[in-house]
Amino acid sequence: MEYLNQLNQSQRMAVEATEGPVMVIAGAGSGKTKVLTNRIAHIINKGVDPFNILALTFTNKAAKEMKGRIEKIINSTESRNIWMGTFHSVFAKILRSEAEKIGYPNNFTIYDTQDAKNLIKAILKEQGLDDKIYKPSLVLNRISAAKNNLISPLAYLNDTTVQNEDTQSAKPKLGLIYQIYCDRCFKAGAMDFDDLLYKTNVLLRDYPKVLEKYQNQFKYILVDEYQDTNFSQYLIIRKLGAANLNICVVGDDSQSIYAFRGANIQNIFNFKNDYSNVKTFKLEQNYRSTQNIVNAANSLIKHNKEKIDKTVFTNNEIGNKIKIYRAGSDNDEGNTIANLIFDTQLTNQAKNHEFAILYRTNAQSRAMEEALRKKNIPYKIHGGLSFYQRKEVKDLLAYFRLVINPKDDEALLRIINYPARGIGDTTLEKIVSVANNHNLSNWEIISNLNKYNVGLNSGTQSKIGDFVLLISGFSNLLQTKNAYDLAHEIAATSGLLKDLYSDRTPEGISRYENIQELLNGIKEFTEEENELEEDITPHGLPEFLQNVALLTDADNEKEEDHNKVSLMTIHASKGLEFPYVYIVGLEENLFPSQLSITNRKDLEEERRLFYVAITRAEKELVFSFASSRYKWGNVTFCEPSRFIDEVDKDFLEFMYSNSTEKQTNNEFEFSRNKYFSKSKEINFSNSKQIKEQTPLQTPQQILPKNLKKIAPSAGISLPMTTELVSGMRISHEKFGNGVIEELEDGKATINFDAAGKKVLLLKFAKLTILN
DNA sequence: GTATTATCTAAGTCT
DNA sequence: TAGATAATAC
C-alpha cells in the first residue's frame, strides 16, 4: 500500500473510498489520472478480480497508458484484464457478442461519418428532397442528437415538439429520413457511432438476463471525463451500476467541451441527485502549471455562470506571464510562432516534443505547418484528416468490409466499380432500387441476379457475376488465411494495387505508399499474435477491421513521432500537457467561433474550451492572433478575441503596443504594412542565420503535396534514409539488430539476427545505425 | 460507360 | 483552397 503515501489528502480519500457512488471533481492538472489508476489498483489489491472492473476513458490511448500504470502499481500483468476503453470500443465489443439478440450479425460493420452521409444523400435522392435544404451534415446531426437522447424513429415521428421544430425549420421530412436511415443501416448489418451506444441501451433494456449478466460482471465502474457524457452513455452507466452502485465518476465541469455531440454537462451537476449517499471529493491543487497560468485560467472561467464551486490553486513557482503576440496575417502568425519555438528551444534547451500549438479549427494548421517546415522544425498533426480516412485507404478497407459483411451497402457501392469494371451509375441505380423494393441489401440482389428482375443486359450481368465471384472468393479465404495474407491477396487480386501503381504522379505514388503502409500495419497486427503467448484472440482480418473502425488518431501515434512539435485542435488536446503551449488564432468569430456567440450556453462552452487550452501549459504560455486571415479564399480582417480581455491583465504581457489597440484596429485596412513591420520588431536572434543554413529544397518540400498535409511525419524523418547503405548494421526497436541487405524505392530489406528477413518502409521504420 | 475538364460551394469541435 | 459535382468529349 506504499502507493497511498504518494497521494495528497483529497486524492487519497478519493482512492480509498472504493464502495458506493463517488464523484471526484478534478481541477485541471490535479492528478486525476493518478487518482483513477491508484483507485483501480487499490480495488484490485483489495481482492477484486480485474475482470470485474469497467473503466471508461476518453481515448483508447488513455486506457492503454492507464493499464500500464496500474500494472506498475500492482506489479502484475493482471491489469490487462480490466475492461478498459472508450464507451464506443467497450460497448462495440459487448455488442459483437450479443448482436444476434437485437437482430444484427456479430460481424456488423461500423459506419463512419462519411458512410452515414453517403447513405443520407442516397435517401434524399430517392425521396426527391433537396440536399440544399436537407444538408446531409445537418440531417446527420439531427439523427445523432435523437439517438444520443434515445429517441427512436417512431418516437421521433410521434413527438409533437420535435415535429413542430422540424416544421418550423422547414424540414418536415427529417423524421422520415431518420426512419429510412435506420432501416437501411439495419439491413446492411451496420451501426454508426451513435448506434454503438443506442443499441447497447436497447440490448440492456430488452434483455434483462443480459443486463443482469453485465451487472454482475462489472462490480466496479469508473467513468473518466464524466462531464462529457451524453444521455445515452449516462443511462448505460446507470443501468450497469444499479446492482452494485460502485460507480465512480471523475470529471471537471469547467472542461466540458463536447455539448455539440450530445454531452450533457447536467450529468455531472445531477450526479448527487441521481444516487443517494454520494461521496464527493474535490481535487483542487494543480501540480501541472505555474501560478500565473493557473490564476489566468481561474480569472477566465470566472466569467461562466454555470459551474461547480471550486478553487484551483498551485504551489508551483510563479512563472512567466502569458505573452501575447499580434501578427499581420495568418501566415505571419505561423512565422511568429515558429520563430518563438526556435528561440525557446535554444535558450531553454527544450526538445520539440515539449511544444504544442493549439487552435480552434483544423483549417488553421496549414499556416503553422508551412512556417515550421520553413524552419525545419519537425512536427506532427494530431487529428485532422486521419490516415484511415484517405480515399485509397478507405477503398481497400471497403473491400475488407464487404468480404467480412457482404450486406455492407456503403462498402459495396464504394468499390463495385473501383477499379473500373464497367458497372456504371445506371446499373447501380437499378440494383439499389430493386434492393430497396425487396428490403434487401444490394449484395443479396447481385448475388442472386437470376432471382430478381433487375433488367440488365447479359454483358452487365456477367460483369456483376465476376464481381460477386471475386468477393465471395475472398470470403472463402477468411477462415484459412491470416489477416496480412488475405489483405494482400485482396489488394492485388481486386486490381486496386495495380490501379494505384499505374499512376506515377507524386500524388499517385504517395497513394500507393499509403496502401503499402496499411498492409504493413496489418502485417504487424498479424505478427503480434506470435509475440504474446497468452494472447489467444485470433488476429484475422475481421479483428483488424474491428480495431480500425474505432481508432482515434491519438491511438495511432507512431514511434518516430516522439520528438516533434504537436499541432492539434484544442478538443484533441484534452487530457494532455506540454511545457510550452501556443494558443493561436485568438480572434473574434474564430475563437469564440462565430456560431457560438449568439447564446450564452454556447459561449460558455467556448470559454471552457479556452480554459482547457490554457490549462494544458506547464511552464510557458503564449497567445497569438492575426489582424487578417484567409477565409473562404479571401482575406478577412479580424479583431482580437474577447477572451483575451477576460483574462486578468496581471497575468498577461502584451508583446506589441497595446495602448493604441483600439485605434489601430480601425486603422488596419489602411496601414497593413505597419503591422507586418511591427511583428518583425520582435527580435529573433537566430532566425536569419537559420534561413541561410536551410537548403532551398529540403527533402520534405519535394514530397507530394497531399502527403505533406496528411502525413507530415513522413517527410520530416527522411534525411536519415540518405545515410543508410546496404551492408550497414542497424538496430530496430522491435526486431532488434540486423544488416541491411538491399535498399530500394524507399524500402529496405533487412536481415535481423533474431527476427529474420523483413522488408521495411524507411519512411516509417525507426532505425538506429550501429557502429 | 469512362476519362477529363470546368464549375461550384463549402470550412466547427469528434467517436 | 480543395473536394465534390456537373458538363463535356471520347
Side-chain angles (χ1 to χ4, degrees), chain A residues 416-428:
Chain A
I416 190 167
N417 199 31
Y418 176 75
R421 297 188 175 87
I423 305 169
D425 292 346
T426 340
T427 310
L428 282 176

Side-chain angles (χ1 to χ4, degrees), chain A residues 147 158 164 181 205 331 369 374 535 565 570 703 712 731 738:
Chain A
K147 284 186 184 170
N158 288 329
N164 282 340
Y181 174 86
R205 180 195 64 193
N331 289 330
E369 287 179 69
K374 261 192 248 166
D535 186 2
V565 173
I570 299 164
L703 277 178
S731 163

Side-chain angles (χ1 to χ4, degrees), chain A residues 693-717:
Chain A
Q693 284 173 1
T694 310
L696 277 177
Q697 228 187 12
T698 52
Q700 57 269 29
Q701 280 171 321
I702 36 180
L703 277 178
K705 210 172 161 192
N706 54 354
L707 187 68
K708 272 193 294 194
K709 190 163 179 202
I710 307 307
S713 53
I716 306 297
S717 52

Side-chain angles (χ1 to χ4, degrees), chain A residues 144-155:
Chain A
S144 171
K147 284 186 184 170
N148 287 329
N149 288 300
L150 302 179
I151 300 169
S152 69
L154 219 58

